[in-house]
Amino acid sequence: MKRACYRGERHILNKKIIITGISECLQKGKVLFLEALYPSRCPACNKILPEKKVHICPECRGSFHLIEEHYCLKCGKPVSETEEYCADCKSRKRGFCQGRGVFLYNMQMKQSLLRYKYYGSREYGQYYAEEICRYVGTQIKRWNPDILVPVPMTCRKKRIRGFNQAEDLAEKIGELLQIPVAAGLAVKKRETKSQKKLNAAERMRNLKDAFQITESVRGLRILIVDDVYTTGSTIETLAECLKESGAREIYFVTLCIGQL
Ligand SMILES: [Zn+2]
Ligand SMILES: [Zn+2]
């Protein structure tokens, strides 16, 4: 009786091993099939990458302009060698403590982001997040944020685009640096008018009631994550909203940042 039971158990165990083996094979097959169907492409030249582990072709390394020195000590925008702060940060108080953008928002980066956001090249996200962590990971750790908050977009826009790029970056950075991501904490209730013709004060007014903070953030250090920083009004307004909801310190990180 005892022996029959043992045999039965072994039979079940063997069956389990076979089933696990089959499902692992199917999973691997699925990955290979998807890789063949949607091969990873280089975020700079968009050519198919030779292997899955590489996120940019070797010859394209260095094609995005890294901002490693001469940047505003407050917002991270490029400044001349002799300056410490950009014109915006010199002229008014900012809603955030400090922030950094990793690459310059130049034509190559604009095109890369267009493919990532609108033309299905979502695999670029892993490269972007890894570069952010490689170049400003130490700074992020120094800021020591409790949570990452991606800049939200309206539900409608997210549905049309299929994803929120800020959320995608925040999730990948959060995973790499082991920081929790609070994706639904800040929501955008309505679309805002084009910001281009508005001055700084008008921009902030235009955005302010569009954001809503859904949970208490009392006493928290928050790192806002976005893809691009240009005028800074979106991040600044979100920072103000988070501060009004009790956040202690607000920092930000973006993949790229515009020149003055
Ligand atoms: Zn390339
Ligand atoms: Zn600045």
Side-chain angles (χ1 to χ4, degrees):
M1 185 66 195
K2 212 175 176 183
R3 200 166 165 75
C5 192
Y6 170 69
R7 256 196 230 128
E9 275 172 11
R10 199 169 55 182
H11 182 64
I12 291 168
L13 190 70
N14 285 344
K15 229 175 167 181
K16 263 189 189 168
I17 292 169
I18 292 166
I19 291 169
T20 315
I22 292 171
S23 91
E24 270 174 17
C25 279
L26 285 174
Q27 193 58 32
K28 273 183 197 158
K30 192 177 154 193
V31 170
L32 287 172
F33 176 70
L34 287 174
E35 272 175 24
L37 207 60
Y38 306 105
S40 291
R41 289 174 179 272
C42 166
C45 69
N46 206 33
K47 282 185 193 149
I48 294 172
L49 290 166
E51 30 171 335
K52 189 78 184 164
K53 282 179 204 145
V54 179
H55 297 308
I56 189 162
C57 16
E59 59 272 26
C60 286
R61 289 205 169 275
S63 48
F64 297 127
H65 184 105
L66 258 179
I67 302 169
E68 286 180 293
E69 49 177 6
H70 310 310
Y71 53 82
C72 172
L73 297 178
K74 187 83 180 169
C75 74
K77 268 198 170 186
V79 289
S80 71
E81 278 174 47
T82 53
E83 280 172 318
E84 285 193 317
Y85 296 98
C86 73
D88 285 344
C89 294
K90 263 189 240 169
S91 63
R92 62 197 168 87
K93 205 173 171 296
R94 311 306 301 260
F96 47 80
C97 298
Q98 208 179 15
R100 283 293 308 276
V102 176
F103 295 107
L104 189 68
Y105 189 41
N106 58 11
M107 194 46 79
Q108 259 171 317
M109 187 43 94
K110 266 182 201 169
Q111 285 175 350
S112 178
L113 275 175
L114 277 176
R115 293 194 296 270
Y116 169 60
K117 282 170 19 179
Y118 304 103
Y119 299 105
S121 299
R122 289 200 205 159
E123 73 272 20
Y124 293 2
Q126 193 59 37
Y127 166 77
Y128 295 155
E130 284 177 13
E131 293 299 272
I132 290 173
C133 296
R134 187 194 320 264
Y135 294 105
V136 293
T138 312
Q139 177 68 73
I140 294 175
K141 281 184 188 150
R142 246 182 258 137
W143 290 331
N144 194 21
D146 298 297
I147 49 168
L148 305 183
V149 172
V151 170
M153 58 169 58
T154 59
C155 291
R156 186 176 172 272
K157 204 166 175 183
K158 191 174 167 182
R159 209 169 42 242
I160 294 168
R161 192 172 296 179
F163 83 129
N164 173 358
Q165 69 279 358
E167 219 172 284
D168 183 49
L169 293 176
E171 271 159 19
K172 291 182 165 76
I173 296 168
E175 209 177 301
L176 289 164
L177 300 180
Q178 294 296 296
I179 308 168
V181 181
L185 181 91
V187 291
K188 196 173 177 194
K189 293 181 289 177
R190 59 169 174 84
E191 288 307 340
T192 38
K193 287 182 263 172
S194 168
Q195 304 273 82
K196 279 181 189 154
K197 288 181 183 165
L198 307 177
N199 65 31
E202 287 168 335
R203 277 185 180 140
M204 290 195 66
R205 222 173 302 131
N206 183 27
L207 281 162
K208 194 119 195 203
D209 1 304
F211 289 130
Q212 191 185 357
I213 309 303
T214 59
E215 279 174 60
S216 167
V217 286
R218 197 150 299 282
L220 294 183
R221 272 187 306 267
I222 295 174
L223 179 72
I224 297 174
V225 180
D226 206 1
D227 54 338
V228 192
Y229 178 105
T230 47
T231 64
S233 40
T234 304
I235 284 176
E236 200 163 2
T237 314
L238 182 56
E240 291 288 348
C241 293
L242 288 163
K243 260 167 61 184
E244 281 169 18
S245 298
R248 181 153 49 123
E249 287 163 16
I250 316 284
Y251 301 91
F252 76 83
V253 69
T254 58
L255 172 70
C256 50
I257 193 158
Q259 219 144 11
L260 287 181

